């Protein structure tokens, strides 16, 4: 009769204390993963950029004023960049964000200067126009099944024609745009940090909570990764894509209002410089923190990285084309990184499935 081994006999011998560091799930292992280049590579690139411009422009760059300039000067860019995160999470492109931003900028100025309305009604009407843009985008993309890339580009062209009709391609200026309470929307500050930085933080928190801590966020990611599979699981993918386009238009429209309050005029080209940087930040952000997923904090990190580089180039008195070259280069690198991270695992899995099984002799060897 054999005796049953006790539980103590089944346990492996205790491991040395040093080997515990190599066990998966230990605090050291988790910290190493969190601080790895694959997870926060943009932070290390950001530090390299800071060191580079500190050496290049030691008298102007490494100052508290530069820090405030990077934060305040890129708050609007961050709002625009965040506006593309929900659509991209659902695999939808919204190329009308720049035109929507310009539209709300000129409409706010027009209603205040030409129509004599107060800041509240003017902003409400401008944001209503942004809402209509989002609804039109949703109808064209979701209901009429037009590719989002082409549809929103066409919508942007229509918006630009409306902007030209209202402004005749001239900026709208007026004393009322520089006076309180409208100017305080963007120029109110605390310790040198202006209100748009707070708007950016609140928008990032809202998008982060939506994507990471709600069922809607999980459904958005599921729609983006495989819309057909998500639809078979009961996810209302069309409704989600529609709502992301509306949210994108509203957030980019709000960025236009903040821009007008910041510069004191409504510009017909207010959003044009932000389109490339917004997508660059979103794609770079998809390589950070939540690799392969468009996310809010990764996008903010990318905005600050790009903003630091552009600010440094300005302080170093570089050529005018250097900023566009820097942004375009970062976007190309980001596309390579995100494409590799999303596609490479799937390619490896397919190759593993199609690889012939080894013969018996090969297994013995």
């Amino acid at each position: 009769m054999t005796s049953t081994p006790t539980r103590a006999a089944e346990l492996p011998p205790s491991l040395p204390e040093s080997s515990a560091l190599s066990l998966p799930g230990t605090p050291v292992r988790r910290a190493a993963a969190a601080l790895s280049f694959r997870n926060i590579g943009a932070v290390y690139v950001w530090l390299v950029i800071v060191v580079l411009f500190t050496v290049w422009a030691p008298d102007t760059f490494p100052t508290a004023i530069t820090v405030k300039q990077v934060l305040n000067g890129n708050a609007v860019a961050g709002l625009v960049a965040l506006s593309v995160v929900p659509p991209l999470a659902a695999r939808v492109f919204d190329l009308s964000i720049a035109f929507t931003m310009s539209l709300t900028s000129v409409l706010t100025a027009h209603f205040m200067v030409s129509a004599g309305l107060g800041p509240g009604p003017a902003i409400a009407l401008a944001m209503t126009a942004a809402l209509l843009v989002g609804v039109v985008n949703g109808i064209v993309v979701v209901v009429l099944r037009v590719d989002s890339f082409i549809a929103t580009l066409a919508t942007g062209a229509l918006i630009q024609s409306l902007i030209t009709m209202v402004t005749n391609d001239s900026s709208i200026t007026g004393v009322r745009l520089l006076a309180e309470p409208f100017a305080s929307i963007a120029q109110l500050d605390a310790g040198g940090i202006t209100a748009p930085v707070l708007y950016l933080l609140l928008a990032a928190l809202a998008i982060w909570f939506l994507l990471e801590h709600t069922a809607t966020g999980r459904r958005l990611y599921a729609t983006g990764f495989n819309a057909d599979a998500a639809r078979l699981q009961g996810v209302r993918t069309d409704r989600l894509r529609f709502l992301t386009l509306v949210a994108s238009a509203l957030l980019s429209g709000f960025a236009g209002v903040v821009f007008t309050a910041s510069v004191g005029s409504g510009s017909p080209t207010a959003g044009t410089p932000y389109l490339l940087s917004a997508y660059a930040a979103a794609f770079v952000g998809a390589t950070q923190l939540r690799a392969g997923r468009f996310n809010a904090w990764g996008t903010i990190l990318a905005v600050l990285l790009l903003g630091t580089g552009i600010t440094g180039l300005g302080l170093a008195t570089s050529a005018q084309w250097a900023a566009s070259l820097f942004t375009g280069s970062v976007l190309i690198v980001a596309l390579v990184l995100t494409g590799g991270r999303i596609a490479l695992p799937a390619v490896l899995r397919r190759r593993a499935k199609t690889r012939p099984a080894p013969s018996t002799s090969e297994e013995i060897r």
Side-chain angles (χ1 to χ4, degrees):
M1 179 175 178
T2 58
S3 61
T4 303
T6 62
R7 182 172 179 81
E10 295 175 354
L11 294 176
S14 59
L15 295 172
E17 184 178 353
S18 60
S19 65
L21 299 179
S22 62
L23 288 176
T26 62
V28 174
R29 185 83 173 219
R30 289 196 296 268
L35 297 175
S36 67
F37 187 85
R38 290 177 59 85
N39 191 48
I40 56 169
V43 173
Y44 301 116
V45 175
W46 190 11
L47 293 175
V48 170
I49 291 174
V50 170
V51 172
L52 173 64
F53 284 112
T54 299
V55 175
W56 191 355
D59 297 329
T60 56
F61 185 80
T63 63
I65 296 176
T66 301
V67 175
K68 295 175 183 179
Q69 183 179 350
V70 170
L71 292 175
N72 296 334
N74 292 280
V76 173
L79 289 172
V80 180
L82 287 177
S83 73
V84 305
V85 171
L88 286 176
R91 198 176 289 183
V92 177
F93 281 88
D94 186 359
L95 297 184
S96 66
I97 54 167
F99 303 99
T100 305
M101 178 181 171
S102 300
L103 178 66
T104 55
S105 175
V106 299
L107 286 182
T108 302
H110 173 76
F111 289 133
M112 289 185 63
V113 175
S114 301
L117 297 180
I123 294 173
L125 289 173
M127 292 303 296
T128 301
L131 175 63
L132 291 176
V133 170
V135 171
V136 170
N137 282 336
I139 292 174
V140 175
V141 173
V142 177
V143 179
L144 301 181
R145 303 293 179 183
V146 180
D147 181 79
S148 62
F149 195 95
I150 302 300
T152 56
L153 192 61
T155 305
L158 295 176
I159 296 171
Q160 187 59 51
S161 66
L162 177 60
I163 293 172
T164 302
M165 182 177 66
V166 172
T167 66
N168 197 25
D169 284 335
S170 300
S171 297
I172 301 175
T173 58
V175 177
R176 300 189 63 180
L177 299 177
L178 302 172
E180 301 291 341
F182 181 72
S184 63
I185 293 175
Q187 298 176 17
L188 190 67
D189 73 278
I193 304 300
T194 56
V197 178
L198 175 61
Y199 307 149
L200 177 62
L201 178 61
L202 293 176
L205 281 170
I207 294 174
W208 165 76
F209 184 81
L210 171 70
L211 293 179
E212 302 295 337
H213 295 282
T214 67
T216 301
R218 292 190 292 271
R219 294 181 184 122
L220 273 174
Y221 280 134
T223 300
F225 281 115
N226 193 327
D228 293 333
R231 193 180 301 109
L232 291 175
Q233 293 296 320
V235 177
R236 302 179 68 175
T237 56
D238 286 345
R239 184 177 69 173
L240 288 175
R241 295 168 69 215
F242 191 103
L243 291 176
T244 59
L245 288 168
V246 173
S248 176
L250 288 174
L251 189 52
S252 58
F254 177 69
V257 175
V258 175
F259 177 86
T260 299
S262 177
V263 302
S265 68
S267 171
T269 59
T272 303
Y274 294 99
L275 181 60
L276 178 61
S277 61
Y279 275 93
F283 276 96
V284 171
T287 69
Q288 305 300 304
L289 305 178
R290 302 282 289 170
R293 294 187 178 188
F294 295 97
N295 63 90
W297 297 120
T299 302
I300 296 299
L301 176 61
V303 167
L304 294 178
L305 185 155
L306 292 169
T308 302
I310 294 173
T311 302
L313 289 171
L315 293 175
T317 63
S318 59
Q320 292 184 351
W321 47 263
S324 297
L325 176 63
F326 175 78
T327 303
S329 301
V330 170
L331 178 57
I332 291 174
V333 173
L335 287 170
V336 172
L337 291 176
T338 53
R341 290 190 175 191
I342 294 172
L344 185 56
V347 172
L348 294 177
R349 285 195 298 268
R350 285 197 299 268
R351 288 183 178 179
K353 290 179 180 179
T354 57
R355 186 179 301 162
S359 63
T360 306
S361 59
E362 290 176 339
E363 291 177 351
I364 295 175
R365 289 198 298 266

